[in-house]
Amino acid sequence: MVSYLQIEKLTKSFGDRLLFADVTFGVYEGDKIGIVAQNGAGKSTFLNILCGKEDYDSGSVVFRNGLKVGYLEQLPPFDPEQSVLDYATPAPDHDGDDWSGPDRARQMLTQFKITDLSQPMGQLSGGQAKRAALAKVLLSGPQLLILDEPTNHLDIEMTEWLEGWLTRQRVTLLMVTHDRYFLDKVCNKIIEIDRQQIFTYEGNFDYYLRKRQERMENLSAELARVKNLLRTELEWMRRQPQARGSKAKYRIDSFHDLERRSHVDLRQQNVELNVSSSYIGNKIFEARNVSKAFGEKRILNDWSYDFARYDKVGIVGENGAGKSTFIKMLLGEVQPDSGHFDIGQTVRWGYYSQEGMTDFDENKKVIDAVREIAEEVRIDEKTRLFASQFLSHFLFTPETQQKYIHKLSGGERRRLYLATVLMRQPNFLILDEPTNDLDIMTLTILEDYLVGFKGCVIVVSHDRFFLDRIAEHLFVFEGDGVIRDFPGNYSTYRHCLRQQEKEEREERERKELEERAKRG
């Protein structure tokens, strides 16, 4: 095996907060490694250290001499005045000009649905800039590709294209992503950062889940054994006078070691989110002959629908098809050109938007921001939680609750925002890209909550795993104002779509053969 990167005893802390300690592992040619961890555990910091963007406390990071490394940051830097094409075009190799560079850049950018190649980078949206940066790093021809959340801001079609590209290429890969299907299909090794340590799993994401569960069960059993032994030793300690002799000292040292081992916190592995929703009546939400257009672009064309109790709908479609406008119309922020919506009196909206995180006061502590909304949260008819207890359900430890909001990681801020949406006890949830920057553990908790949610849910998402678990049917935005109601989850929809494409292709080929036969 050819070694590309060796990491030895890497340790990093911020003040008194230890992110990880004595991390040691190697990256070898052909590895496709996914890094998973809870938000705030240091995944992006880890990648920044590898790429020389951030210092570390101790240890070593050694790349193979002459190795060509490509790095996609979560927020890639760029010159705002530079054109998109110039930004993405790879620099020629040192041994000569690459005349095909601009052509390859045009092709890749078009693949990523960026068509105005003369546009300055500073005029792109955040999503477009991330896609241009992804095109740039893929075009640079790296031997080792380091990617931080590559699928954020990609629609499902583009995510599947990238999935296929990475699977086919010989490139070695080290990436952070929360897209579980992507991890499962692309990666052959998973590295988890957990409690300042790393655990390596030689397999895809499905293999990791099974082996991680085994590790948690073993850890729970070991913890129970240690605590039983600790009780015995504690009784011995209380019966003894001050330690005299080496045997007593050894046993006392052993007691303190047991005590330290007994402080492993497994609560995060068993978190459940059980926030009650408000009562929702029989009449919920009706759309009647709704149409909307912006100039020549039609968003909705004579659309009607009656939402049923506990309706769980996924919204899919290409970027720019009108999904965000549709959501704003449901919420009354954008008015239809014709037709109308009729909303039931018991409906209480909960809206998780891409922009919602900006509403926080950066200089408030987490706990204070939540207490401003409510001191207590009703879980069910009998149970109420104080704000601090409620936050613990969203994996905020007592220490993290005292942090100022501006010090939270991107994923922690999203988790806090999600908590503030759900604590208001909505009965009709609209979630616009809720999976971006949420760690896998939080996603699992949210999914479990939504599966049992006693209300309506509309989800706009590019996360196929999330859609498969939550959505019972789909609104497919096909363009030109057409919304198709598909009865099934996303994987079923894609299977049907591929089958339809296959049949259409076979029909075209059959007709071509007939035409050739006629021409003789």
Side-chain angles (χ1 to χ4, degrees):
M1 288 191 297
V2 179
S3 173
Y4 275 3
L5 170 63
Q6 289 298 323
I7 297 153
E8 300 283 343
K9 294 186 175 300
L10 191 67
T11 300
K12 174 66 177 178
S13 57
F14 287 115
D16 59 354
R17 181 174 173 238
L18 181 66
L19 284 182
F20 40 81
D22 294 327
V23 167
T24 298
F25 72 93
V27 179
Y28 300 91
E29 184 180 14
D31 278 347
K32 288 186 167 68
I33 301 172
I35 300 176
V36 299
Q38 185 184 329
N39 285 137
K43 299 185 295 293
S44 290
T45 300
F46 183 71
L47 295 189
N48 281 333
I49 287 171
L50 298 188
C51 296
K53 305 274 184 184
E54 199 155 337
D55 293 329
Y56 48 95
D57 302 340
S58 59
S60 64
V61 177
V62 180
F63 286 89
R64 180 182 177 86
N65 280 340
L67 187 73
K68 196 167 183 182
V69 179
Y71 179 37
L72 176 74
E73 298 179 58
Q74 262 200 49
L75 297 171
F78 53 80
D79 176 356
E81 303 299 323
Q82 190 176 24
S83 75
V84 175
L85 182 61
D86 288 346
Y87 170 77
T89 298
D93 291 329
H94 64 276
D95 56 351
D97 291 334
D98 179 9
W99 296 103
S100 69
D103 288 337
R104 289 191 293 120
R106 284 188 190 93
Q107 186 178 8
M108 184 74 79
L109 288 165
T110 302
Q111 180 73 50
F112 285 147
K113 298 177 183 173
I114 298 175
T115 52
D116 185 356
L117 305 186
S118 61
Q119 189 176 14
M121 286 294 296
Q123 292 180 10
L124 299 184
S125 69
Q128 288 173 320
K130 182 78 178 267
R131 281 181 267 145
L134 179 58
K136 178 183 177 72
V137 75
L138 297 184
L139 287 161
S140 67
Q143 295 165 285
L144 172 60
L145 195 53
I146 299 178
L147 305 176
D148 195 353
E149 294 294 353
T151 64
N152 278 7
H153 306 295
L154 299 187
D155 62 27
I156 294 174
E157 185 183 335
M158 290 164 60
T159 298
E160 289 178 343
W161 178 88
L162 181 61
E163 210 171 69
W165 190 91
L166 290 172
T167 303
R168 291 190 304 273
Q169 299 297 315
R170 292 179 57 83
V171 66
T172 301
L173 178 66
L174 184 66
M175 70 172 172
V176 168
T177 181
H178 300 138
D179 188 319
R180 288 154 290 180
Y181 279 163
F182 197 81
L183 281 167
D184 199 52
K185 291 182 180 176
V186 173
C187 294
N188 55 28
K189 188 183 292 186
I190 303 291
I191 291 177
E192 180 183 19
I193 303 174
D194 184 29
R195 299 179 185 83
Q196 294 89 44
Q197 302 176 60
I198 70 155
F199 300 88
T200 302
Y201 301 84
E202 299 282 345
N204 65 2
F205 186 69
D206 180 66
Y207 176 85
Y208 152 75
L209 287 178
R210 286 185 277 114
K211 291 299 181 182
R212 184 183 188 277
Q213 182 62 31
E214 289 177 19
R215 181 170 73 82
M216 287 298 120
E217 289 168 359
N218 293 337
L219 189 56
S220 297
E222 171 67 8
L223 193 56
R225 190 188 69 79
V226 166
K227 286 185 173 178
N228 284 332
L229 190 54
L230 185 62
R231 277 193 289 271
T232 304
E233 293 298 284
L234 184 58
E235 289 174 10
W236 180 86
M237 288 281 285
R238 286 170 177 163
R239 289 199 307 267
Q240 299 304 311
Q242 286 295 322
R244 297 187 186 92
S246 61
K247 279 192 176 179
K249 183 177 185 309
Y250 170 79
R251 193 157 179 183
I252 289 168
D253 288 345
S254 176
F255 167 79
H256 290 307
D257 179 56
L258 284 170
E259 194 174 37
R260 187 173 63 254
R261 286 162 63 194
S262 74
H263 287 162
V264 174
D265 183 5
L266 290 179
R267 286 175 302 170
Q268 292 175 357
Q269 316 309 325
N270 302 304
V271 173
E272 288 185 11
L273 183 58
N274 292 314
V275 189
S276 69
S277 62
S278 302
Y279 168 79
I280 191 164
N282 289 323
K283 182 178 179 181
I284 300 168
F285 191 95
E286 298 172 357
R288 288 288 173 269
N289 308 110
V290 176
S291 295
K292 183 67 181 177
F294 294 101
E296 296 294 313
K297 184 173 183 178
R298 285 197 284 185
I299 306 297
L300 286 178
N301 186 26
D302 199 33
W303 182 71
S304 296
Y305 186 80
D306 289 354
F307 283 92
R309 262 184 166 189
Y310 314 150
D311 220 349
K312 293 183 173 68
V313 186
I315 295 182
V316 298
E318 292 189 2
N319 289 336
K323 300 188 296 291
S324 294
T325 302
F326 175 76
I327 292 298
K328 288 174 181 172
M329 290 175 70
L330 296 183
L331 292 167
E333 296 176 9
V334 173
Q335 297 304 311
D337 298 337
S338 60
H340 67 277
F341 296 109
D342 195 2
I343 304 170
Q345 290 185 342
T346 60
V347 169
R348 286 180 62 174
W349 297 109
Y351 179 37
Y352 179 99
S353 71
Q354 291 296 293
E355 297 79 30
M357 292 198 306
T358 60
D359 296 339
F360 288 124
D361 184 340
E362 301 278 316
N363 297 313
K364 277 196 170 69
K365 291 181 179 178
V366 170
I367 184 65
D368 294 335
V370 170
R371 280 178 179 151
E372 279 190 358
I373 298 168
E375 289 281 349
E376 290 185 340
V377 180
R378 184 170 68 89
I379 300 300
D380 54 40
E381 293 302 323
K382 298 178 181 177
T383 312
R384 291 180 180 271
L385 294 181
F386 290 116
S388 179
Q389 294 171 305
F390 179 71
L391 279 169
S392 71
H393 281 262
F394 286 82
L395 311 182
F396 284 100
T397 63
E399 296 78 22
T400 312
Q401 292 177 27
Q402 296 300 321
K403 282 170 72 171
Y404 287 97
I405 289 172
H406 69 262
K407 291 190 174 179
L408 297 180
S409 70
E412 287 173 320
R413 287 168 68 100
R414 286 197 175 277
R415 207 178 331 136
L416 176 61
Y417 176 40
L418 182 61
T420 62
V421 170
L422 297 185
M423 72 185 294
R424 293 178 168 94
Q425 299 174 291
N427 54 28
F428 199 129
L429 272 172
I430 295 180
L431 307 174
D432 189 2
E433 293 294 353
T435 62
N436 281 357
D437 297 322
L438 286 182
D439 59 73
I440 289 166
M441 189 176 295
T442 308
L443 284 174
T444 304
I445 294 166
L446 176 59
E447 286 163 359
D448 290 343
Y449 168 73
L450 292 174
V451 166
F453 180 70
K454 301 301 183 188
C456 294
V457 180
I458 295 177
V459 178
V460 180
S461 180
H462 295 139
D463 187 317
R464 297 157 293 172
F465 192 102
F466 191 83
L467 283 172
D468 276 353
R469 274 211 70 192
I470 303 307
E472 295 161 354
H473 63 112
L474 305 176
F475 288 165
V476 182
F477 279 66
E478 297 186 336
D480 200 30
V482 177
I483 298 179
R484 179 153 65 104
D485 188 0
F486 179 84
N489 66 12
Y490 182 75
S491 289
T492 306
Y493 164 68
R494 287 298 289 176
H495 173 76
C496 292
L497 203 60
R498 290 190 191 100
Q499 189 64 30
Q500 181 182 330
E501 289 168 353
K502 180 186 174 189
E503 289 171 2
E504 289 173 353
R505 186 172 62 252
E506 288 172 350
E507 179 64 17
R508 282 197 306 272
E509 289 170 357
R510 187 185 64 79
K511 286 182 177 177
E512 286 172 7
L513 285 172
E514 286 178 357
E515 287 296 321
R516 285 197 203 113
K518 284 178 185 175
R519 290 196 300 266

